[in-house]
Amino acid sequence: MVGALLLVSLFLHLVPGDPVDVMLGEQATQVDRAALRRAVGLDLPWYAQLWTFARDLATGELRTSLPPFQRKVLPALGAALPYTLLLTVAAMAVSLVLALPLGVMAAARRGTPVDAAAMGVSVAGVALPRFWLGPVLIILFALKLDWLPVSGAESWRHLVLPAFTLGIALAAFLARMTRATMLEALREDYVTVARAKGLSPRVVLWKHAFRNALLPLVTVLGLEFGALLGGAIVTEKVFAWPGMGTLLLTAIEKRDYNTVRATVLLFTFCYVGVNTLTDFAYAWVDPRVRRRS
């Protein structure tokens, strides 16, 4: 988290553009520009600005960088975070509902047309960029069929299109991962023993093989949660979803350094937190982890 904060602070001072120009325009006098810089602390070195940011964040007094209305940043983050988490969880649910049956079915029918079709669909899903898929879904389901709203977050219907936009690419990747881990599990001795005991193919597949194939999938899900957060930035902009991605892009456009730093730090915290929870989930998925710990 400290590394992410240092990097984004450094990049903010390397990208073109001056926050003072956003407020005063390029025709402002040097005296006015210098006065505004002193008023908001932009005359300080970047590391001094970073220290001021950390102090204000710790005390809860962090405000947007530019006048005239320097609003507190934390309430804005608190309002945007639930929308981003809701979108991310919904996209994760979409991906799991699509990927797990597809991957298990492909592994159970390895080498058949079903396997080829399932993997063909997954390759197509991985190849579709989110910034292209979102507008296509809008054109098809919102404009042509008039089934779903285009933008906003007033009801669950507004969540469907952005969740599918985010979830389809992840579902395609998870389907391939599920197939690979299931094929490895199906070659294990305990599966052979389960079949020799006369258990039904469904029980062997889902109770014995699938449970043991979950551990690599849990690892991937923890890592891909961060990818969903990153993908949500563009998706939220496309669908006007009022989450952290929209807040971040708006802050970048306005050169609001404090909001950019705080939003990136919160993204990083969510990513680190989910991966920590993933480590704890290992013990639930694999009893051997509990015995070792």
Side-chain angles (χ1 to χ4, degrees):
M1 290 178 63
V2 172
L5 182 59
L6 290 174
L7 284 175
V8 73
S9 298
L10 180 61
F11 290 154
L12 285 174
H13 287 79
L14 294 178
V15 296
D18 191 341
V20 175
D21 291 337
V22 176
M23 291 301 303
L24 301 181
E26 297 181 358
Q27 304 302 321
T29 64
Q30 291 297 327
V31 175
D32 292 336
R33 293 165 65 89
L36 180 59
R37 286 183 180 280
R38 287 193 300 271
V40 298
L42 292 175
D43 59 326
L44 300 174
W46 72 271
Y47 51 85
Q49 296 182 37
L50 183 58
W51 168 253
T52 302
F53 165 82
R55 182 196 63 198
D56 293 343
L57 180 64
T59 59
E61 294 298 322
L62 183 66
R63 295 179 178 271
T64 53
S65 297
L66 301 177
F69 305 108
Q70 289 184 286
R71 296 178 297 273
K72 288 189 175 182
V73 174
L74 294 184
L77 288 177
L81 178 60
Y83 287 100
T84 295
L85 292 180
L86 175 61
L87 176 58
T88 304
V89 171
M92 188 76 74
V94 168
S95 65
L96 290 175
V97 169
L98 295 177
L100 295 184
L102 194 65
V104 172
M105 181 177 61
R109 294 168 174 79
R110 180 184 181 185
T112 66
V114 173
D115 182 19
M119 290 302 97
V121 170
S122 69
V123 170
V126 171
L128 296 176
R130 294 187 181 101
F131 64 84
W132 176 85
L133 181 60
V136 168
L137 292 179
I138 290 175
I139 293 172
L140 179 59
F141 292 101
L143 300 181
K144 297 293 186 181
L145 299 176
D146 196 23
W147 288 355
L148 296 167
V150 175
S151 60
E154 286 76 21
S155 69
W156 66 268
R157 298 176 68 248
H158 293 81
L159 180 63
V160 175
L161 289 182
F164 270 87
T165 301
L166 274 179
I168 285 176
L170 178 58
F173 174 73
L174 285 180
R176 296 176 64 84
M177 186 71 184
T178 302
R179 177 183 181 273
T181 56
M182 283 294 296
L183 287 176
E184 183 177 350
L186 288 172
R187 290 193 291 264
E188 296 293 337
D189 292 338
Y190 59 83
V191 173
T192 304
V193 172
R195 287 169 174 164
K197 290 166 62 176
L199 298 178
S200 66
R202 181 184 297 274
V203 173
V204 172
L205 190 66
W206 289 100
K207 184 176 180 180
H208 293 273
F210 180 70
R211 178 69 183 270
N212 288 278
L214 275 179
L215 191 59
L217 292 177
V218 170
T219 304
V220 171
L221 285 175
L223 296 173
E224 287 300 318
F225 184 86
L228 284 180
L229 286 176
I233 296 176
V234 177
T235 304
E236 287 180 6
K237 189 67 174 179
V238 171
F239 291 96
W241 186 260
M244 292 198 303
T246 301
L247 181 65
L248 177 62
L249 292 177
T250 303
I252 292 174
E253 292 172 359
K254 295 181 178 179
R255 300 297 192 271
D256 182 1
Y257 291 169
N258 282 346
T259 302
V260 173
R261 291 191 191 100
T263 307
V264 171
L265 193 62
L266 185 55
F267 270 124
T268 308
F269 175 78
C270 292
Y271 184 73
V272 172
V274 168
N275 279 274
T276 303
L277 293 176
T278 301
D279 291 339
F280 288 109
Y282 290 162
W284 175 76
V285 173
D286 192 345
R288 295 171 296 180
V289 177
R290 290 197 295 270
R291 288 197 294 269
R292 286 198 298 266
S293 60

